[in-house]
């Protein structure tokens, strides 16, 4: 007494609401992994852009402070 095709179909219908087929699970996991890989690349780009912005802000702040100090010395030495 073996398992018939009808038995397999009946089991699929019963388990369909509660369980995911292995192939479906693999497909879903692949999509999620691909999405995470894209997110990692975006995060790296954002980090690079942020570091460039930090450097530019540092340059502007240094130039501003230098100009302020120069202006103070000019006022004092006059």
């Amino acid at each position: 007494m073996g398992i018939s095709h009808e038995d397999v179909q009946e089991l699929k219908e019963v388990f369909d609401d509660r369980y995911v087929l292995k192939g479906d699970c693999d497909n879903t996991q692949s999509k999620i992994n691909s999405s995470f890989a894209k997110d990692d690349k975006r995060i790296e780009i954002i980090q690079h852009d942020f570091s460039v912005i930090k450097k530019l802000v540092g340059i502007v702040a240094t130039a501003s402070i230098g100009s302020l100090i120069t202006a103070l010395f000019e006022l004092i030495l006059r």
Side-chain angles (χ1 to χ4, degrees):
M1 181 170 181
I3 297 175
S4 68
H5 180 69
E6 291 81 22
D7 293 336
V8 172
Q9 292 301 322
E10 182 67 27
L11 288 173
K12 282 185 178 181
E13 289 177 16
V14 169
F15 292 136
D16 191 38
D17 294 338
R18 295 180 196 103
Y19 300 99
V20 178
L21 295 175
K22 183 178 178 182
D24 293 342
C25 184
D26 290 342
N27 290 338
T28 303
Q29 189 65 41
S30 295
K31 290 177 186 176
I32 291 171
N33 289 341
S34 173
S35 175
F36 281 140
K38 290 177 185 175
D39 289 346
D40 288 344
K41 290 178 185 176
R42 288 182 191 137
I43 290 171
E44 287 179 22
I45 291 169
I46 290 170
Q47 284 177 336
H48 178 264
D49 292 348
F50 186 68
S51 67
V52 169
I53 290 171
K54 281 176 43 178
K55 289 176 185 175
L56 290 174
V57 167
I59 291 169
V60 169
T62 303
S64 299
I65 292 170
S67 296
L68 179 64
I69 291 171
T70 303
L72 286 175
F73 277 130
E74 287 179 1
L75 284 175
I76 292 172
L77 296 177
R78 276 190 187 179

